[in-house]
Amino acid sequence: MRITTTLLTLGLTITATGPTSVLAAPTPEYNSYNQANNNTPDIVDMFVNANYWGDKYTGSAYEGQCVNLPPNFNDNLSSGRARPGYHCTVWPDANCQNNKWNFTFDDRGSGASFPNWINDRASSWRCIRY
């Protein structure tokens, strides 16, 4: 009798709580501004003022990967320095489009001051080894 009562109580408890559901972790949001992940190297620094001064954007990407700038740096950069062994190109359009108006700089000072036609107009970038 005691075993029957215990089993009956246990059965009612399980029935009352219902089936256990497992919730999956949310899927990480895709960041369209920086398609790189944590395993990519930092290969470029760009700044909102000339001569590597002011707020700094550090870009991480694989070699040759095009990266769109985040809103707070889009159309707001005036200088840039590639990491040693790289040269980087900035474009006035997203997705590294419009090859006519791009600007390339390296780690040797060529990006200390972006030319007027790209200054405060960069929207995307790509770096490759030289």
Side-chain angles (χ1 to χ4, degrees), residues 7-130:
L7 290 175
L8 182 59
T9 305
L10 183 60
L12 290 174
T13 302
I14 292 173
T15 305
T17 59
T20 304
S21 45
V22 177
L23 299 176
T27 304
E29 196 172 311
Y30 175 70
N31 182 349
S32 62
Y33 302 111
N34 187 356
Q35 295 110 13
N37 62 38
N38 293 338
N39 297 325
T40 56
D42 294 341
I43 55 177
V44 67
D45 291 323
M46 290 184 271
F47 301 82
V48 298
N49 297 313
N51 300 312
Y52 319 114
W53 188 79
D55 290 340
K56 178 174 80 168
Y57 166 81
T58 298
S60 299
Y62 294 110
E63 181 180 0
Q65 179 183 6
C66 178
V67 178
N68 293 326
L69 290 163
N72 55 325
F73 289 103
N74 185 52
D75 295 338
N76 195 27
L77 295 170
S78 297
S79 61
R81 181 183 302 136
R83 296 297 162 94
Y86 287 92
H87 65 265
C88 300
T89 303
V90 290
W91 280 265
D93 297 324
N95 304 315
C96 302
Q97 298 295 311
N98 192 356
N99 288 331
K100 183 178 178 183
W101 297 105
N102 60 28
F103 174 68
T104 301
F105 57 93
D106 56 28
D107 61 334
R108 298 177 219 150
S110 60
S113 183
F114 288 173
N116 287 339
W117 50 267
I118 195 70
N119 186 47
D120 292 334
R121 292 187 176 107
S123 294
S124 59
W125 62 273
R126 176 183 295 142
C127 296
I128 59 171
R129 289 190 179 277
Y130 59 81

